[in-house]
Amino acid sequence: MLKNMTGAAMALSFALSATAYAAGEHKHGHGDAKDGHGGAEHADIGRPGDPAKVDRTIEIIMRDTAYEPAGLEIREGETVRFVVTNAGQLVHEFNIGTAAMHGAHQAEMQAMVDNGILEADRIRHDRMRHGEHGMHHDHANSVLLEPGQSGEVIWTFDTHSRLEFACNVPGHYEAGMKGDFHLHH
């Protein structure tokens, strides 16, 4: 039964992908205040946090169609350590950005699928090529996890942008795997 569920979930995951994109790179520094993901219009999402200056830790559980919790209250200027666990049967991502950034990032994730790097339930690290024309997923504002894995993101929210956290694996965002950050002064 688990094999059938995984197959059905995988079919749903890939069927929901709105657009198939040609192979591309997956190496932009989302949290880079100079480049941001997609250029200057995305530079104001906050910045990587200093692990020695964490204000609090929030545990995030990723299921196959949702996050727990579904939304987060954050104080502007706060540095948060997100401890993220993938409790689903599929590969999932916890990514901090704007809706536009997530839209651009989805093309890169699709390229990882197209290149055989990202499968429904595993990441083919052996197929990643590092360097100028390689693909990888190591951004300060996100973590990509196989089922059963945990990771962390430390982020400082010094921004006025409307931010959300999302999974950009093809079809997951469209299926509702996203949540809002509610920033308070």
Side-chain angles (χ1 to χ4, degrees):
M1 181 171 168
L2 180 61
K3 188 171 186 169
N4 288 339
M5 268 178 71
T6 301
M10 179 172 65
L12 172 65
S13 173
F14 293 111
L16 289 174
S17 181
T19 309
Y21 292 89
E25 292 187 0
H26 190 234
K27 60 181 207 122
H28 304 286
H30 304 292
D32 187 333
K34 292 180 184 87
D35 282 346
H37 186 119
E41 75 252 28
H42 301 303
D44 189 24
I45 66 164
R47 60 188 161 81
D50 180 346
K53 297 180 180 178
V54 169
D55 295 308
R56 68 177 164 141
T57 298
I58 298 175
E59 291 187 26
I60 303 289
I61 305 295
M62 298 188 294
R63 306 276 180 206
D64 282 331
T65 58
Y67 292 98
E68 293 174 13
L72 296 168
E73 301 286 329
I74 304 291
R75 288 184 322 274
E76 195 170 311
E78 186 174 24
T79 298
V80 179
R81 177 187 320 270
F82 295 98
V83 177
V84 185
T85 301
N86 184 350
Q89 297 179 25
L90 304 171
V91 170
H92 291 297
E93 174 186 51
F94 175 81
N95 186 300
I96 300 168
T98 64
M101 288 174 66
H102 291 302
H105 185 53
Q106 289 163 16
E108 295 176 352
M109 297 295 282
Q110 182 64 52
M112 290 181 74
V113 170
D114 293 345
N115 284 290
I117 295 168
L118 187 59
E119 296 179 1
D121 60 351
R122 71 182 181 140
I123 304 162
R124 297 289 309 264
H125 297 281
D126 59 317
R127 294 189 179 181
M128 286 190 189
R129 302 173 313 275
H130 292 281
E132 187 174 326
H133 299 292
M135 292 182 160
H136 64 280
H137 192 282
D138 58 352
H139 312 295
N141 67 321
S142 68
V143 62
L144 181 66
L145 301 170
E146 293 178 343
Q149 289 185 324
S150 293
E152 70 177 34
V153 172
I154 300 174
W155 200 253
T156 298
F157 291 86
D158 55 359
T159 180
H160 296 287
S161 297
R162 183 179 169 105
L163 300 177
E164 57 185 23
F165 52 97
C167 180
N168 293 297
V169 171
H172 294 199
Y173 186 93
E174 295 84 357
M177 196 165 178
K178 59 187 171 181
D180 290 318
F181 287 106
H182 302 284
L183 296 174
H184 302 282
H185 300 285

mmCIF file of all heavy atoms in Angstrom, residues 5 8 10 49 59 67 72 82 85 100 120 129 141-142 150 155 157 161 167 171 176 179:
data_model
loop_
_atom_site.group_PDB
_atom_site.id
_atom_site.type_symbol
_atom_site.label_atom_id
_atom_site.label_comp_id
_atom_site.label_asym_id
_atom_site.label_seq_id
_atom_site.Cartn_x
_atom_site.Cartn_y
_atom_site.Cartn_z
ATOM 1 N N MET A 5 0.712 4.439 -2.484
ATOM 2 C CA MET A 5 0.535 5.812 -2.019
ATOM 3 C C MET A 5 1.646 6.699 -2.530
ATOM 4 O O MET A 5 1.395 7.807 -2.979
ATOM 5 C CB MET A 5 0.521 5.850 -0.491
ATOM 6 C CG MET A 5 -0.863 5.742 0.093
ATOM 7 S SD MET A 5 -0.817 5.744 1.880
ATOM 8 C CE MET A 5 -0.369 7.424 2.227
ATOM 9 N N ALA A 8 1.022 7.327 -6.196
ATOM 10 C CA ALA A 8 -0.084 8.260 -6.391
ATOM 11 C C ALA A 8 0.327 9.669 -6.010
ATOM 12 O O ALA A 8 0.014 10.637 -6.709
ATOM 13 C CB ALA A 8 -1.292 7.818 -5.570
ATOM 14 N N MET A 10 3.355 10.825 -5.995
ATOM 15 C CA MET A 10 4.315 11.285 -6.995
ATOM 16 C C MET A 10 3.575 11.744 -8.248
ATOM 17 O O MET A 10 3.879 12.797 -8.804
ATOM 18 C CB MET A 10 5.298 10.164 -7.350
ATOM 19 C CG MET A 10 6.305 10.574 -8.413
ATOM 20 S SD MET A 10 7.597 9.361 -8.690
ATOM 21 C CE MET A 10 6.674 8.008 -9.343
ATOM 22 N N GLY A 49 20.744 34.510 9.374
ATOM 23 C CA GLY A 49 20.912 34.891 10.768
ATOM 24 C C GLY A 49 22.198 34.351 11.372
ATOM 25 O O GLY A 49 22.744 33.354 10.919
ATOM 26 N N GLU A 59 9.881 24.919 15.469
ATOM 27 C CA GLU A 59 9.888 23.619 14.800
ATOM 28 C C GLU A 59 8.839 23.621 13.695
ATOM 29 O O GLU A 59 7.705 24.035 13.910
ATOM 30 C CB GLU A 59 9.614 22.499 15.794
ATOM 31 C CG GLU A 59 10.758 22.305 16.769
ATOM 32 C CD GLU A 59 10.593 21.089 17.658
ATOM 33 O OE1 GLU A 59 9.906 20.126 17.267
ATOM 34 O OE2 GLU A 59 11.166 21.118 18.755
ATOM 35 N N TYR A 67 2.312 22.370 5.848
ATOM 36 C CA TYR A 67 3.268 22.621 6.917
ATOM 37 C C TYR A 67 2.520 22.672 8.240
ATOM 38 O O TYR A 67 1.360 23.080 8.290
ATOM 39 C CB TYR A 67 3.948 23.985 6.740
ATOM 40 C CG TYR A 67 4.872 24.104 5.574
ATOM 41 C CD1 TYR A 67 4.455 24.673 4.383
ATOM 42 C CD2 TYR A 67 6.181 23.664 5.674
ATOM 43 C CE1 TYR A 67 5.315 24.803 3.317
ATOM 44 C CE2 TYR A 67 7.055 23.789 4.611
ATOM 45 C CZ TYR A 67 6.612 24.359 3.428
ATOM 46 O OH TYR A 67 7.464 24.491 2.374
ATOM 47 N N LEU A 72 3.015 31.744 10.592
ATOM 48 C CA LEU A 72 3.925 32.091 11.682
ATOM 49 C C LEU A 72 3.891 33.576 11.995
ATOM 50 O O LEU A 72 3.884 34.408 11.084
ATOM 51 C CB LEU A 72 5.360 31.692 11.313
ATOM 52 C CG LEU A 72 5.607 30.195 11.137
ATOM 53 C CD1 LEU A 72 6.955 29.954 10.496
ATOM 54 C CD2 LEU A 72 5.529 29.507 12.492
ATOM 55 N N PHE A 82 14.820 27.863 12.420
ATOM 56 C CA PHE A 82 13.764 26.943 12.032
ATOM 57 C C PHE A 82 14.361 25.544 12.000
ATOM 58 O O PHE A 82 15.312 25.297 11.248
ATOM 59 C CB PHE A 82 13.209 27.293 10.648
ATOM 60 C CG PHE A 82 12.528 28.632 10.602
ATOM 61 C CD1 PHE A 82 13.202 29.748 10.134
ATOM 62 C CD2 PHE A 82 11.218 28.782 11.038
ATOM 63 C CE1 PHE A 82 12.590 30.987 10.090
ATOM 64 C CE2 PHE A 82 10.595 30.015 11.005
ATOM 65 C CZ PHE A 82 11.281 31.123 10.528
ATOM 66 N N THR A 85 11.551 19.359 9.790
ATOM 67 C CA THR A 85 11.535 17.903 9.646
ATOM 68 C C THR A 85 10.566 17.518 8.542
ATOM 69 O O THR A 85 9.422 17.987 8.525
ATOM 70 C CB THR A 85 11.110 17.224 10.966
ATOM 71 O OG1 THR A 85 12.037 17.603 11.986
ATOM 72 C CG2 THR A 85 11.099 15.710 10.826
ATOM 73 N N ALA A 100 6.689 36.072 -5.674
ATOM 74 C CA ALA A 100 7.405 36.167 -6.962
ATOM 75 C C ALA A 100 8.688 35.340 -6.941
ATOM 76 O O ALA A 100 9.040 34.695 -7.938
ATOM 77 C CB ALA A 100 7.717 37.629 -7.284
ATOM 78 N N ALA A 120 10.728 11.999 -6.791
ATOM 79 C CA ALA A 120 9.610 12.199 -5.872
ATOM 80 C C ALA A 120 10.013 12.007 -4.415
ATOM 81 O O ALA A 120 9.619 12.793 -3.559
ATOM 82 C CB ALA A 120 8.459 11.262 -6.229
ATOM 83 N N ARG A 129 26.096 18.585 -10.139
ATOM 84 C CA ARG A 129 27.416 19.055 -10.550
ATOM 85 C C ARG A 129 27.607 20.421 -9.921
ATOM 86 O O ARG A 129 26.781 21.303 -10.068
ATOM 87 C CB ARG A 129 27.489 19.195 -12.070
ATOM 88 C CG ARG A 129 27.205 17.919 -12.804
ATOM 89 C CD ARG A 129 27.130 18.163 -14.312
ATOM 90 N NE ARG A 129 26.311 19.300 -14.699
ATOM 91 C CZ ARG A 129 24.987 19.269 -14.880
ATOM 92 N NH1 ARG A 129 24.313 18.178 -14.681
ATOM 93 N NH2 ARG A 129 24.326 20.345 -15.271
ATOM 94 N N ASN A 141 18.307 30.645 2.753
ATOM 95 C CA ASN A 141 16.899 30.810 3.108
ATOM 96 C C ASN A 141 16.062 29.563 2.880
ATOM 97 O O ASN A 141 14.835 29.621 2.932
ATOM 98 C CB ASN A 141 16.287 31.975 2.332
ATOM 99 C CG ASN A 141 16.218 31.682 0.849
ATOM 100 O OD1 ASN A 141 17.131 31.095 0.275
ATOM 101 N ND2 ASN A 141 15.134 32.084 0.217
ATOM 102 N N SER A 142 16.703 28.416 2.615
ATOM 103 C CA SER A 142 15.902 27.222 2.354
ATOM 104 C C SER A 142 16.639 25.944 2.719
ATOM 105 O O SER A 142 17.868 25.924 2.841
ATOM 106 C CB SER A 142 15.493 27.173 0.881
ATOM 107 O OG SER A 142 16.616 26.956 0.057
ATOM 108 N N SER A 150 15.904 15.920 8.623
ATOM 109 C CA SER A 150 15.707 17.203 9.295
ATOM 110 C C SER A 150 16.843 18.136 8.911
ATOM 111 O O SER A 150 17.933 17.687 8.558
ATOM 112 C CB SER A 150 15.702 17.025 10.815
ATOM 113 O OG SER A 150 14.573 16.299 11.222
ATOM 114 N N TRP A 155 17.321 32.614 10.132
ATOM 115 C CA TRP A 155 16.979 33.776 9.324
ATOM 116 C C TRP A 155 16.652 34.973 10.185
ATOM 117 O O TRP A 155 15.968 34.850 11.207
ATOM 118 C CB TRP A 155 15.771 33.442 8.428
ATOM 119 C CG TRP A 155 15.661 34.370 7.275
ATOM 120 C CD1 TRP A 155 14.747 35.367 7.104
ATOM 121 C CD2 TRP A 155 16.508 34.411 6.130
ATOM 122 N NE1 TRP A 155 14.984 36.031 5.915
ATOM 123 C CE2 TRP A 155 16.059 35.453 5.308
ATOM 124 C CE3 TRP A 155 17.623 33.670 5.731
ATOM 125 C CZ2 TRP A 155 16.674 35.775 4.106
ATOM 126 C CZ3 TRP A 155 18.237 33.986 4.534
ATOM 127 C CH2 TRP A 155 17.757 35.028 3.736
ATOM 128 N N PHE A 157 14.689 38.505 10.157
ATOM 129 C CA PHE A 157 13.573 39.139 9.455
ATOM 130 C C PHE A 157 13.648 40.654 9.603
ATOM 131 O O PHE A 157 12.869 41.262 10.330
ATOM 132 C CB PHE A 157 12.244 38.603 9.995
ATOM 133 C CG PHE A 157 12.008 37.177 9.632
ATOM 134 C CD1 PHE A 157 12.513 36.158 10.427
ATOM 135 C CD2 PHE A 157 11.313 36.846 8.488
ATOM 136 C CE1 PHE A 157 12.305 34.832 10.098
ATOM 137 C CE2 PHE A 157 11.101 35.522 8.143
ATOM 138 C CZ PHE A 157 11.601 34.507 8.952
ATOM 139 N N SER A 161 8.920 43.335 3.497
ATOM 140 C CA SER A 161 8.317 42.565 2.410
ATOM 141 C C SER A 161 7.274 41.600 2.934
ATOM 142 O O SER A 161 7.355 41.126 4.058
ATOM 143 C CB SER A 161 9.392 41.767 1.662
ATOM 144 O OG SER A 161 10.314 42.622 1.049
ATOM 145 N N CYS A 167 7.064 25.211 -0.339
ATOM 146 C CA CYS A 167 7.760 24.103 -0.983
ATOM 147 C C CYS A 167 7.622 24.321 -2.475
ATOM 148 O O CYS A 167 6.519 24.399 -3.006
ATOM 149 C CB CYS A 167 7.143 22.764 -0.586
ATOM 150 S SG CYS A 167 7.969 21.362 -1.371
ATOM 151 N N GLY A 171 4.641 21.219 -8.369
ATOM 152 C CA GLY A 171 3.279 20.884 -8.002
ATOM 153 C C GLY A 171 2.931 21.106 -6.544
ATOM 154 O O GLY A 171 1.754 21.219 -6.200
ATOM 155 N N GLY A 176 -0.955 23.839 -2.479
ATOM 156 C CA GLY A 176 -1.215 24.536 -1.227
ATOM 157 C C GLY A 176 -0.138 24.409 -0.171
ATOM 158 O O GLY A 176 -0.357 24.783 0.981
ATOM 159 N N GLY A 179 2.815 28.841 3.423
ATOM 160 C CA GLY A 179 2.274 29.514 4.588
ATOM 161 C C GLY A 179 2.791 30.934 4.644
ATOM 162 O O GLY A 179 3.783 31.275 4.003
#
